Structures are given as C-alpha cells and as structure tokens.
Amino acid sequence: AMTPSAVRLMAAACARLGMNTAGAALLASVLEPDFVAIASVMDGPMPALPYDAPWLECVWELPVLELLSEKATRLLHTMPEARNPKAVQHEVIRLVQRPMFSSFQPEAVKARARALLRQRLFQRLLFWALGQDAPEGE
C-alpha cells in the first residue's frame, strides 16, 4: 500500500507539473484525506475541461467537489461568459450524482467504487508518465 507521505510527494510533483487536479485527486484518494493540503493544491488554476476530466472523475470526496464548485462560482462572478467554469460546475454536479456514491448504497458498494476509482487514478497517472493514452474502458 502507498504511504500517505508517498502520496503527498506524488501530489506535490503533480502540482509542480501543473496537474493540480490530479494532485488533489491523489490527496483525496488516501484513507484519511488531508483537506487542507487538497485545498492548497486546488488553490492553483481552475481545472481545464476536457483535459482535467479524467482526473476529476477519480474524485469522490464531497468536500473536494464542493471546493471545485465554489471556485467555479467565484470565477463566474468575475467572468460570467467563461465556458470552463460552467463546464466544471456541470461536471461537479454529474460527479456528485453518481449512483455508486448515493446515500442509499450500502457501504460495501461505496468502498468498491472508491477502490475502483483509486485504481483508475493510479493507472491514468502511470499511462500519463509513460506518455501513453490510457486504454479505452479502463
């Protein structure tokens, strides 16, 4: 298993590479997410869709999604015609409404969903590091 300190180092590396959303997803993927560290990583530029969509898809922690929505709302107040903040808000709504994380789902279903998204995140990071596209349907 990855140690929390290894995940923090990987997230910091992602942030230095301009991959703030991937870094935040990494920090949120550990058993005890550090929401202060996540907010610090997300303090960078707004996620750019569709580029950041694969990373956003791997986020399930509601506080992180709320932070993204709030960030998009603030940007829309200053730039009402901007497309990206609107796209981020729509993506956040889609992610919050995922059936696998519904409050009606048993904890076992949610745990399997978190494990699947954690695995998908690490696979995507690996393919990104290798300069390859992730296979379809991964």
Side-chain angles (χ1 to χ4, degrees), residues 73-116:
T73 300
R74 282 194 313 256
L75 191 54
L76 278 171
H77 284 306
T78 59
M79 301 170 52
E81 298 304 315
R83 289 185 185 160
N84 191 54
K86 290 177 186 173
V88 169
Q89 283 184 325
H90 288 290
E91 184 68 7
V92 166
I93 290 168
R94 186 185 75 73
L95 294 172
V96 167
Q97 294 176 340
R98 289 181 285 194
M100 60 189 164
F101 292 114
S102 166
S103 60
F104 301 108
Q105 291 289 1
E107 186 53 40
V109 171
K110 293 177 190 178
R112 280 193 305 272
R114 288 189 295 268
L116 174 70

Side-chain angles (χ1 to χ4, degrees), residues 9-129:
L9 286 171
M10 289 174 63
C14 285
R16 282 189 205 106
L17 293 169
M19 298 171 54
N20 295 39
T21 306
L26 272 168
L27 290 169
S29 75
V30 295
L31 294 178
E32 296 292 328
D34 180 350
F35 293 111
V36 173
I38 293 167
S40 175
V41 169
M42 292 305 300
D43 196 35
M46 183 79 170
L49 296 179
Y51 173 76
D52 282 326
W55 311 118
L56 281 175
E57 182 186 68
C58 297
V59 175
W60 61 84
E61 288 288 347
L62 194 54
V64 178
L65 296 170
E66 289 171 339
L67 177 66
L68 285 167
S69 179
E70 181 181 316
K71 189 173 187 167
T73 300
R74 282 194 313 256
L75 191 54
L76 278 171
H77 284 306
T78 59
M79 301 170 52
E81 298 304 315
R83 289 185 185 160
N84 191 54
K86 290 177 186 173
V88 169
Q89 283 184 325
H90 288 290
E91 184 68 7
V92 166
I93 290 168
R94 186 185 75 73
L95 294 172
V96 167
Q97 294 176 340
R98 289 181 285 194
M100 60 189 164
F101 292 114
S102 166
S103 60
F104 301 108
Q105 291 289 1
E107 186 53 40
V109 171
K110 293 177 190 178
R112 280 193 305 272
R114 288 189 295 268
L116 174 70
L117 290 178
R118 190 176 293 115
Q119 178 184 358
R120 188 173 293 163
L121 172 64
F122 282 100
Q123 285 174 338
R124 288 177 179 173
L125 283 168
L126 175 63
F127 281 107
W128 179 87

